Amino acid sequence: MESQCLSRPSPAPSRPGPLSSFVRFVVCGGGVGLLSSAAVPMLAAAMPWAVANALVTAAGTLLCTELHALFTFGTGRRPDWRRHMQSSGSAVAAYLATTAAMFALYAVQPSPGMVWEQTVYLTASGLAGVGRFLVLRLFVFAERNERDRRNEHDHRVTRSETLLPGEPNLRLIPGTDTGHRQVAPTHPALITAAA
């Protein structure tokens, strides 16, 4: 039973590189976007368009956050509510950026043609998407955040204990009476062998 408390978690899967992550981000986000664009009109037949759009947007954002955590950025675990909120915040910021771009277009040209509308909207959406990717990669699903969280919750190493460099299955434990340090195994196989 003691060996279960001291066992180390399995290592996190390797993370994809920036280019691979970006391609995955585009595929996941674009795929969910296409599904959402098909779902809104179908739901709008049964309810007001604004309500259908809000429901599909919320569901799509939740789905994208799950996909980005597991597939795009390879965290190896489902996102918690904090990451869902951060991801939603970046989606709201992207929405506000595209809306501001369209307001700016209408301020400069009161009656722009469809080509100008599409050009401004798609450019703003592309820039907002790149910005959102950077926020998600560098802050929301950053590798250091995952590492810090694992160290905090999974390792159960107190401040006075130190993992031995080069020996991932051993840690130093400070002595209580003589000031000497002793080594304690952290791997279940070593615990039973040391006992």
Side-chain angles (χ1 to χ4, degrees), residues 94 97-98 101-102 115-131:
T98 55
M102 293 307 290
V115 172
W116 274 107
E117 288 177 335
Q118 287 298 311
T119 300
V120 169
Y121 180 76
L122 291 174
T123 301
S125 292
L127 292 173
V130 169

Side-chain angles (χ1 to χ4, degrees), residues 22-33:
F22 186 72
V23 169
R24 292 175 181 198
F25 178 81
V26 170
V27 169
C28 289
V32 171

Side-chain angles (χ1 to χ4, degrees), residues 37-49:
S37 67
V40 170
M42 287 190 274
L43 278 178
M47 61 184 71
W49 188 90

Side-chain angles (χ1 to χ4, degrees), residues 13-26 68 71-75 133-134 137-138 141 143:
S14 64
R15 291 177 171 268
L19 183 60
S20 177
S21 288
F22 186 72
V23 169
R24 292 175 181 198
F25 178 81
V26 170
H68 291 326
F71 180 69
T72 303
F73 301 110
T75 64
F133 170 78
L134 291 172
R137 179 157 175 91
L138 299 175
F141 298 112
E143 186 173 356

